[in-house]
Amino acid sequence: MSKVDIIDLGYKDYQEALDIQEKLFTERSLGKIKNTILFVEHPPVITVGIRGKKTNILLDRNYLEKHNIKIYDIKRGGDVTYHGPGQLVGYFIFDLKDYNRDVKRFIFNIEEIFIRILKKLFNINAVREDGKYTGIWVDNKKITAIGVQIRKYITMHGFAFNINTNLDHFKWIVPCGIEDRGVTSLENIILKRTDFEFIKMEIVKEVKDIF
């Protein structure tokens, strides 16, 4: 893969992964590295995007502190999101000048990865909702959340794909601030767990084809 590097961080604290993103962002801005995707799985954490509302966090502070669930205010697009075990997160450190500075196409291409994988491997008809909600949906339930930050055409953040995710944890928030939609996972749809490494390899194949 000549155009995109893949770095697998494994299971890592959110702040540690954020620090790595920031470092790579600077290096990409200076042209020291290629476009890069980070794969990571996080302990339970809640993130709030630039349009996020703290009222979309449904847990009280005592519960959060007792269970060591941290909240991060970050600069990606979107509202409130949950990350946790069983969810594959991908962070894109890309220079969009390599892609004609086309932000909409960049988001479209990330969405396309999951539409293809879900159809090809599991015969699941997943859809995007252009002009309405970002992300990938199956039967009106979100399976992949997407939120990015772009500074001087360099991107950060990316996707959160629910593979074997504990869906009960989404009851902690109003996911993405959308009250009339649900959340699902691959495990919930096919009724069995799927190996993370297998999914990572398939994502890399699609990235190579699409990007």
Side-chain angles (χ1 to χ4, degrees):
M1 219 172 156
S2 60
K3 295 199 299 183
V4 180
D5 280 341
I6 305 292
I7 299 175
D8 192 341
L9 300 179
Y11 192 81
K12 189 170 287 293
D13 176 78
Y14 186 85
Q15 184 62 60
E16 290 182 61
L18 186 60
D19 291 342
I20 292 170
Q21 279 197 81
E22 291 282 3
K23 177 177 180 291
L24 294 179
F25 175 90
T26 299
E27 292 179 352
R28 187 69 189 98
S29 300
L30 296 173
K32 292 183 177 180
I33 61 171
K34 292 188 282 189
N35 294 326
T36 301
I37 299 174
L38 303 176
F39 286 144
V40 63
E41 183 182 11
H42 292 303
V45 65
I46 295 170
T47 68
V48 184
I50 55 176
R51 295 189 299 275
K53 298 178 181 178
K54 290 290 179 64
T55 53
N56 286 327
I57 300 173
L58 305 180
L59 296 177
D60 62 46
R61 188 170 297 277
N62 290 334
Y63 184 96
L64 293 170
E65 291 178 355
K66 180 179 179 181
H67 292 84
N68 196 31
I69 301 164
K70 295 181 180 179
I71 299 174
Y72 289 89
D73 292 295
I74 55 177
K75 296 178 181 178
R76 63 157 172 78
D79 202 292
V80 174
T81 300
Y82 163 81
H83 297 310
Q87 181 190 75
L88 178 62
V89 179
Y91 296 129
F92 284 67
I93 315 298
F94 274 39
D95 188 341
L96 294 188
K97 292 190 289 294
D98 294 342
Y99 302 95
N100 298 315
R101 296 179 170 86
D102 193 335
V103 175
K104 289 184 178 180
R105 187 68 188 181
F106 174 67
I107 299 297
F108 181 96
N109 285 342
I110 297 175
E111 292 172 334
E112 187 67 17
I113 292 169
F114 299 96
I115 291 173
R116 291 187 183 187
I117 285 175
L118 289 168
K119 183 62 178 178
K120 178 178 67 175
L121 301 178
F122 306 101
N123 199 30
I124 295 171
N125 293 315
V127 298
R128 62 171 61 83
E129 296 196 354
D130 292 328
K132 191 171 184 181
Y133 297 127
T134 303
I136 295 302
W137 305 82
V138 177
D139 294 332
N140 224 30
K141 295 180 179 179
K142 183 173 282 190
I143 191 167
T144 306
I146 295 172
V148 298
Q149 173 187 350
I150 302 171
R151 287 180 277 165
K152 297 181 180 179
Y153 290 105
I154 308 295
T155 71
M156 284 179 56
H157 305 288
F159 69 79
F161 179 35
N162 295 325
I163 301 176
N164 307 315
T165 319
N166 184 343
L167 297 180
D168 284 341
H169 289 183
F170 284 97
K171 296 176 182 177
W172 300 350
I173 63 173
V174 179
C176 303
I178 303 171
E179 297 184 356
D180 61 343
R181 298 289 187 96
V183 178
T184 192
S185 67
L186 184 57
E187 180 183 18
N188 189 59
I189 296 170
I190 67 174
L191 302 179
K192 63 180 181 180
R193 297 177 72 81
T194 302
D195 180 67
F196 257 46
E197 300 309 313
F198 170 67
I199 295 296
K200 290 174 187 175
M201 288 189 296
E202 293 299 323
I203 290 174
V204 170
K205 290 178 185 177
E206 295 301 334
V207 167
K208 183 176 181 180
D209 185 54
I210 294 170
F211 288 98

